[in-house]
């Protein structure tokens, strides 16, 4: 198991452009005895890429690069350059998101979401022939935007062996999806994984959602890992243990439902029942009120506990 940059948010948010560069993430992987790095690049030179490859080969790590889809109106050569540099760095796959935010927070109506989706398709349609040209797998993250069935339809619609999924094992709870079904449906299309366990708690407008150390939440982590392994044995698992305040999922508010045309009371009832049946074993993690030193210590502790669980119970050693 390796790391995503968000497992070290304190370092990430103090880094250039708030991106934890993949070479620094590899240093952390070596320090913790992890297997690889799923990080970003602020330097997109071939010189930097060769430095990353040398480090990757020296320590026997995997590298996956977080990048961006071609922006609307941007010359496609910008994205093509990022793909070429990633390949030079020895990356086995790329990860992108369609939405830099949460669907239920950013949009109010189905029409607004539909307009955004049209833009996403233009971006993806530009990216696909480029990643096919360089034979570079591109995973679109389940990022609190697409429901599982929407993402499945999106992936299938391009019929490209180089377009797939970055499977986050917790995010779709926020869209009222059943995570086991999400994993089962998307595992065959998965190129990279953000591995996380989750805890939930009711609040007046819906429920709170938190990442917690692996094995300390409500998800069946072994079943999730085994399902992905059986479908895609070559896929790497990158820990995304985000230490932060709980996220509010306001599924009992009118605004939350504005963009969803395929959700109904069945999804809501099933999710709230799941929340009530999985009361957290301990208070949800919070960082408000902590000093930087306290927050960094808590973040490191969460990562270390996750590593210990992954080795002992998931067969995910370095």
């Amino acid at each position: 198991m390796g790391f995503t940059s968000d497992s070290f948010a304190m370092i990430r948010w103090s880094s250039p452009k708030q991106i934890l560069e993949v070479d620094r993430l590899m240093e952390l992987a070596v320090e913790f005895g992890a297997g690889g790095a799923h990080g970003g690049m602020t330097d997109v030179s071939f010189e930097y890429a060769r430095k990353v490859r040398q480090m990757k080969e020296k320590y026997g790590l995997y590298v996956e690069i977080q990048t961006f889809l071609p922006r609307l109106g941007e010359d496609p050569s910008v994205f093509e350059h990022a793909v070429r540099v990633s390949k030079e760095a020895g990356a086995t796959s790329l990860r992108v998101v369609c939405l830099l935010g949460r669907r239920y927070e950013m949009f109010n109506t189905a029409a607004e979401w539909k307009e955004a989706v049209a833009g996403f398709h233009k971006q993806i349609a530009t990216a696909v022939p480029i990643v096919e040209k360089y034979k570079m797998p591109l995973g679109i993250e389940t990022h609190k935007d697409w429901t599982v069935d929407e993402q499945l339809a999106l992936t299938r619609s391009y019929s490209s062996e180089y377009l797939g999924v970055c499977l986050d094992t917790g995010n779709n709870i926020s869209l009222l999806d059943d995570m086991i079904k999400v994993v089962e449906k998307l595992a065959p299309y998965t190129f990279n994984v953000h591995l996380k366990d989750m805890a939930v708690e009711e609040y007046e407008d819906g429920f709170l959602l938190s990442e917690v150390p692996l094995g300390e939440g409500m998800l069946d982590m072994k079943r999730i890992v085994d399902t992905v392994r059986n479908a895609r044995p070559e896929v790497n698992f990158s820990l995304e243990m985000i230490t932060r305040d709980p996220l509010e999922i306001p599924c009992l508010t009118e605004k939350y439902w504005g963009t969803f045309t395929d959700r109904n009371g069945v999804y809501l009832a099933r999710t709230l029942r799941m929340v009530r049946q999985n009361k957290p074993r301990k208070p949800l993690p919070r960082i408000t009120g902590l000093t930087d030193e306290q927050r960094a210590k808590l973040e490191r502790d969460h990562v270390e506990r996750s590593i210990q669980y992954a080795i002992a119970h998931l067969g995910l050693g370095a």
Side-chain angles (χ1 to χ4, degrees):
M1 183 178 69
F3 297 138
T4 71
S5 58
D6 281 332
S7 288
F8 301 95
M10 288 287 288
I11 301 174
R12 176 191 169 184
W13 295 115
S14 63
S15 301
K17 300 182 181 179
Q18 298 183 335
I19 294 174
L20 181 47
E21 293 195 303
V22 69
D23 61 326
R24 177 68 180 109
L25 195 54
M26 280 194 286
E27 291 174 354
L28 290 165
V30 172
E31 178 185 347
F32 281 85
H38 178 102
M41 294 187 297
T42 55
D43 181 347
V44 289
S45 68
F46 286 105
E47 181 181 3
Y48 174 72
R50 286 188 283 273
K51 171 187 171 183
V52 169
R53 181 185 283 271
Q54 289 170 0
M55 190 173 178
K56 165 189 181 297
E57 292 174 350
K58 176 181 178 180
Y59 293 110
L61 304 174
Y62 72 80
V63 165
E64 298 170 342
I65 298 297
Q66 297 181 340
T67 188
F68 300 95
L69 285 168
R71 291 172 173 83
L72 295 175
E74 181 180 73
D75 189 325
S77 66
V78 175
F79 177 75
E80 182 169 3
H81 178 74
V83 174
R84 292 178 62 206
V85 168
S86 298
K87 199 168 187 71
E88 182 69 21
T92 53
S93 65
L94 302 177
R95 166 268 189 187
V96 295
V97 298
C98 288
L99 188 64
L100 290 171
R102 301 163 191 136
R103 171 176 175 173
Y104 47 86
E105 294 175 349
M106 295 184 67
F107 303 101
N108 295 304
T109 67
E112 290 176 359
W113 172 247
K114 184 177 180 181
E115 181 180 357
V117 167
F120 300 152
H121 276 287
K122 290 178 182 179
Q123 293 174 279
I124 296 167
T126 301
V128 167
I130 295 172
V131 294
E132 288 180 335
K133 176 181 177 181
Y134 293 97
K135 296 181 171 55
M136 175 62 79
L138 178 69
I140 298 176
E141 186 180 345
T142 50
H143 199 244
K144 300 184 177 75
D145 43 17
W146 306 97
T147 67
V148 60
D149 291 326
E150 289 170 340
Q151 187 133 12
L152 187 61
L154 168 75
T155 305
R156 287 174 170 171
S157 69
Y158 286 89
S159 300
S160 173
E161 65 178 303
Y162 293 101
L163 181 71
V165 173
C166 174
L167 179 59
D168 184 292
T169 65
N171 280 348
N172 271 54
I173 297 171
S174 69
L175 305 182
L176 312 185
D177 276 326
D178 180 310
M179 274 316 307
I180 292 298
K181 291 182 179 178
V182 172
V183 173
E184 290 175 346
K185 288 183 177 183
L186 297 182
Y189 305 93
T190 293
F191 290 145
N192 31 58
V193 175
H194 289 183
L195 190 66
K196 58 177 64 170
D197 201 350
M198 308 300 293
V200 290
E201 184 175 83
E202 280 193 88
Y203 86 113
E204 59 184 4
D205 286 334
F207 63 97
L208 304 176
L209 182 66
S210 287
E211 289 88 355
V212 295
L214 298 181
E216 298 182 21
M218 65 179 182
L219 298 182
D220 187 340
M221 299 309 303
K222 187 175 189 312
R223 181 174 176 184
I224 287 171
V225 169
D226 287 348
T227 299
V228 176
R229 275 178 163 162
N230 289 336
R232 306 284 285 189
E234 74 284 3
V235 165
N236 298 309
F237 293 83
S238 301
L239 176 69
E240 187 169 77
M241 176 57 252
I242 309 177
T243 299
R244 57 181 169 183
D245 288 346
L247 300 178
E248 295 182 354
I249 313 301
C251 59
L252 295 178
T253 64
E254 185 174 349
K255 182 181 185 302
Y256 176 90
W257 294 89
T259 67
F260 295 105
T261 58
D262 67 338
R263 309 274 94 165
N264 56 37
V266 172
Y267 290 88
L268 178 62
R270 183 185 63 203
T271 301
L272 290 181
R273 182 172 63 249
M274 176 272 294
V275 170
R276 290 164 185 167
Q277 289 174 346
N278 289 277
K279 295 186 185 302
R281 306 176 198 176
K282 57 182 70 174
L284 299 182
R286 283 177 168 80
I287 60 171
T288 296
L290 298 182
T291 65
D292 286 350
E293 182 179 1
Q294 290 170 328
R295 183 177 170 185
K297 183 177 184 297
L298 180 62
E299 190 172 80
R300 187 181 189 93
D301 178 61
H302 285 173
V303 169
E304 289 175 341
R305 278 150 58 186
S306 294
I307 292 171
Q308 291 166 8
Y309 182 85
I311 293 172
H313 301 283
L314 304 178
L316 291 176

